[in-house]
Amino acid sequence: MSHSIVFYNSWSKEKEVFKPNTPGLVRIYNCGPTVYKRPHLGNLRRFLFADILRRTLEIHGFKVKEITNITDVGHLTQDELEAGEDKLEKEARTQKVTVKAIADRETKNFMDDLKALNIQMADNYPRASEHIKEMIDIIQILLDKGFAYETKVGVFFEVDKFKTYGKLSGNTVDKLAEGARLAVRKEKKQAADFALWLTDDPDHLQQWDAPWGRGYPGWHIECSAMSLKYLDSKIDIHTGGEDNKFPHHENEIAQSEAATGNRFVNYWMHNAHLQIDGEKLAKSGGQQITLDTVRDKGFSPLVLRWLVLSSHYRSKIDFSWERMKEMQMNLDKIKTLLRRLIENGALKNNAQQIDTAVFENFTQALGDDLNTPGCLAVLNEYMGEVNHKLTENTTQNGELGRVYATVTEMDRVLGVVAGLREEIEQEVIPEGIARQGEAREQARQRKDWTTADRLKQEIMAAGFSVEDTKDGYRLLKR
Ligand SMILES: [Zn+2]
């Protein structure tokens, strides 16, 4: 593709032309799930965003190496961590099972959800609990270089030593000091200092030996350890939800750059939240809408995928079942077009050609900071033209094959066509409707227009349509 890609970089707070460290190869790190509970819709939006990013890079010809970590040494926020609360441990205690059993179960649920949403698999999903040694190594370097200090409750990072601390999120050390909630541990030199290793909770279910005593790592250090290890210390893009900027990503930057002496990440990309009735979704909050809820309400997971595609990743999504219905209608339109294309023989000759100009507009929108609403507009306009031609019977020889090939090519990012085709293949016209269709056709042949019209109305009222073509009639689910 000739045009360049532009991404909004949360670090510079500007759109920048994207250029990877290694030409042709993009290394991406996604902050993964804390596996103590089934992901909610806000979590899923985050991984759909990462999927769209990956597919966009691939459609522009890049190879992608993508890592998503699994947080199974569970902590969520600095406050909770330092206050000794660990979501995974709490869940394990409540359910009277091991932390590993919870983590395994929820990792599987997470993977199932990714598959259902047609999210491409990352190259690796490393688990925090299997990278304790790498974390200890970085903590030791930070101590040796004087960026960290040891106390009788553990090792802390001294943010004052890292001059650019706070640049990503705009939280300066001064502002942080005002946040009294952070000053949980009196052993810290300063409220903003954060834990790298904690040793003072003998009841913690997961503990490892370290030079500073038996204990467990802080949350942030795992992402530094695993991203540097699996992406050869050349991370092009690091993604996360916007609430990860502080403290998580700020702390990742501080500890990684202090340890390596190099820039940690070139492009930071953050997605906005998904809200339900104007409220931010939090796992701890009451609103636990999962993919199962979506299915229970009669929607395919692809409808959620479409909802995410129809908003720009840096805009909030206001989730509602009403909006899901709208998205369902949009997907139904695509399905109807696919059905018409198939039924009109679009698959007969394996067309390799696509409508290049349309596809170019589509990829150009994607390359402009993942403008997925722009992509969908290109698709909609294209579909409108094709539908019009189909209705007017004015399609040229080979045109339908080209349309099908173009939509399929767009689907490398959209990721819905295969699923919709499957739905089409499973559709059966009920026997009663088929009989009415036949009766209408006979009425038409004997020129009994009143009966033919009445039958048509009945077929429509039952949710089907009947179309007359030059080869006879056909029934379609509407
Ligand atoms: Zn992370």
Side-chain angles (χ1 to χ4, degrees):
M1 224 55 52
S2 52
H3 52 85
S4 54
I5 302 187
V6 172
F7 289 139
Y8 179 85
N9 190 344
S10 309
W11 177 255
S12 63
K13 294 161 187 69
E14 276 171 8
K15 279 191 184 179
E16 292 177 22
V17 173
F18 176 70
K19 218 174 148 244
N21 279 301
T22 307
L25 173 70
V26 185
R27 295 174 176 90
I28 304 178
Y29 185 84
N30 308 311
C31 281
T34 300
V35 282
Y36 75 103
K37 227 173 212 176
R38 189 80 188 269
H40 60 59
L41 297 190
N43 305 134
L44 297 175
R45 175 190 194 180
R46 188 182 146 17
F47 298 104
L48 280 164
F49 150 60
D51 183 55
I52 293 162
L53 170 64
R54 181 199 175 121
R55 287 167 178 261
T56 294
L57 288 161
E58 285 176 341
I59 216 169
H60 281 84
F62 289 102
K63 265 186 70 120
V64 173
K65 187 169 182 193
E66 184 188 19
I67 304 295
T68 301
N69 70 300
I70 300 286
T71 298
D72 61 350
V73 188
H75 357 82
L76 277 182
T77 70
Q78 188 72 9
D79 286 7
E80 286 159 348
L81 169 63
E82 295 190 12
E85 189 187 40
D86 176 320
K87 302 264 175 189
L88 256 157
E89 299 240 331
K90 203 175 147 196
E91 205 70 17
R93 285 204 173 94
T94 319
Q95 297 185 28
K96 296 192 170 47
V97 292
T98 61
V99 170
K100 186 166 185 310
I102 303 255
D104 285 350
R105 185 188 74 206
E106 293 310 325
T107 303
K108 189 186 174 299
N109 280 338
F110 173 66
M111 296 296 172
D112 287 349
D113 284 355
L114 296 187
K115 264 177 229 140
L117 290 163
N118 199 12
I119 290 173
Q120 289 186 349
M121 290 291 112
D123 294 78
N124 202 346
Y125 293 90
R127 289 170 168 238
S129 64
E130 291 166 5
H131 295 80
I132 303 296
K133 188 195 167 296
E134 286 84 347
M135 297 186 218
I136 289 174
D137 288 349
I138 298 178
I139 298 169
Q140 191 58 58
I141 294 171
L142 292 172
L143 280 164
D144 293 347
K145 287 190 167 183
F147 285 102
Y149 57 93
E150 209 181 327
T151 72
K152 58 178 191 299
V153 298
V155 182
F156 292 90
F157 187 93
E158 189 169 357
V159 296
D160 263 356
K161 293 272 170 73
F162 187 73
K163 292 302 161 219
T164 53
Y165 188 80
K167 178 172 166 14
L168 178 74
S169 59
N171 284 307
T172 62
V173 173
D174 290 351
K175 267 195 230 160
L176 287 173
E178 292 164 16
R181 288 173 67 220
L182 279 168
V184 176
R185 290 181 190 261
K186 59 182 187 319
E187 292 84 358
K188 293 199 291 189
K189 289 188 186 172
Q190 200 184 165
D193 293 352
F194 58 90
L196 296 167
W197 190 264
L198 289 167
T199 55
D200 68 337
D201 181 5
D203 293 334
H204 204 270
L205 294 172
Q206 291 174 292
Q207 308 249 7
W208 292 268
D209 288 321
W212 325 285
R214 200 166 164 73
Y216 53 96
W219 169 35
H220 319 295
I221 195 71
E222 67 169 86
C223 284
S224 291
M226 291 187 279
S227 59
L228 292 170
K229 173 175 175 169
Y230 289 98
L231 296 172
D232 326 302
S233 305
K234 286 193 181 109
I235 304 149
D236 294 301
I237 305 175
H238 192 313
T239 78
E242 64 185 4
D243 57 343
N244 286 147
K245 278 187 198 166
F246 181 82
H248 187 48
H249 290 163
E250 207 70 84
N251 293 352
E252 273 188 49
I253 294 168
Q255 65 206 3
S256 305
E257 296 193 353
T260 65
N262 297 321
R263 181 156 172 182
F264 175 46
V265 166
N266 285 339
Y267 302 85
W268 285 93
M269 293 177 76
H270 295 95
N271 66 283
H273 293 302
L274 178 146
Q275 323 192 110
I276 295 180
D277 301 328
E279 268 177 55
K280 190 190 132 188
L281 268 176
K283 273 190 190 176
S284 42
Q287 306 246 31
Q288 256 314 320
I289 301 186
T290 67
L291 213 50
D292 276 346
T293 327
V294 168
R295 288 193 182 95
D296 289 346
K297 292 268 183 181
F299 294 103
S300 137
L302 292 182
V303 179
L304 181 68
R305 185 176 174 96
W306 203 256
L307 175 70
V308 172
L309 278 162
S310 66
S311 311
H312 189 264
Y313 76 96
R314 286 191 287 120
S315 306
K316 268 195 316 257
I317 292 181
D318 280 310
F319 178 91
S320 68
W321 297 111
E322 269 319 298
R323 279 205 72 195
M324 286 290 276
K325 270 184 215 157
E326 266 172 52
M327 296 301 125
Q328 175 78 67
M329 274 155 59
N330 292 344
L331 275 185
D332 285 348
K333 276 188 204 155
I334 301 176
K335 205 201 272 187
T336 305
L337 176 69
L338 289 174
R339 203 186 284 123
R340 290 181 90 180
L341 288 172
I342 296 167
E343 284 166 355
N344 282 284
L347 299 181
K348 272 183 198 137
N349 36 13
N350 259 338
Q352 298 300 319
Q353 274 193 328
I354 60 165
D355 283 319
T356 349
V358 176
F359 187 65
E360 184 72 12
N361 288 340
F362 181 86
T363 50
Q364 200 139 16
L366 275 176
D368 178 14
D369 195 30
L370 310 180
N371 178 8
T372 50
C375 294
L376 300 197
V378 172
L379 173 68
N380 266 327
E381 196 188 323
Y382 185 52
M383 291 203 312
E385 284 165 16
V386 176
N387 273 322
H388 183 72
K389 285 186 192 169
L390 276 166
T391 308
E392 303 280 300
N393 237 327
T394 55
T395 52
Q396 309 282 313
N397 225 353
E399 185 174 353
L400 295 182
R402 205 166 65 236
V403 171
Y404 195 89
T406 308
V407 174
T408 308
E409 197 63 9
M410 290 175 174
D411 196 56
R412 285 172 60 198
V413 171
L414 304 174
V416 297
V417 166
L420 293 178
R421 268 201 65 176
E422 226 166 83
E423 288 179 27
I424 292 171
E425 278 152 23
Q426 283 162 6
E427 274 167 14
V428 187
I429 302 293
E431 221 176 291
I433 301 291
R435 234 180 288 125
Q436 278 175 310
E438 196 44 44
R440 171 182 170 272
E441 183 60 18
Q442 285 166 10
R444 270 165 56 86
Q445 279 170 14
R446 60 174 191 267
K447 297 196 165 34
D448 177 358
W449 306 118
T450 324
T451 309
D453 271 352
R454 178 180 52 80
L455 286 163
K456 184 176 182 172
Q457 295 309 320
E458 285 176 21
I459 290 168
M460 303 265 288
F464 295 84
S465 67
V466 51
E467 276 188 21
D468 296 303
T469 70
K470 46 185 188 301
D471 311 318
Y473 72 98
R474 73 169 171 267
L475 294 163
L476 299 169
K477 196 162 182 291
R478 284 203 293 156

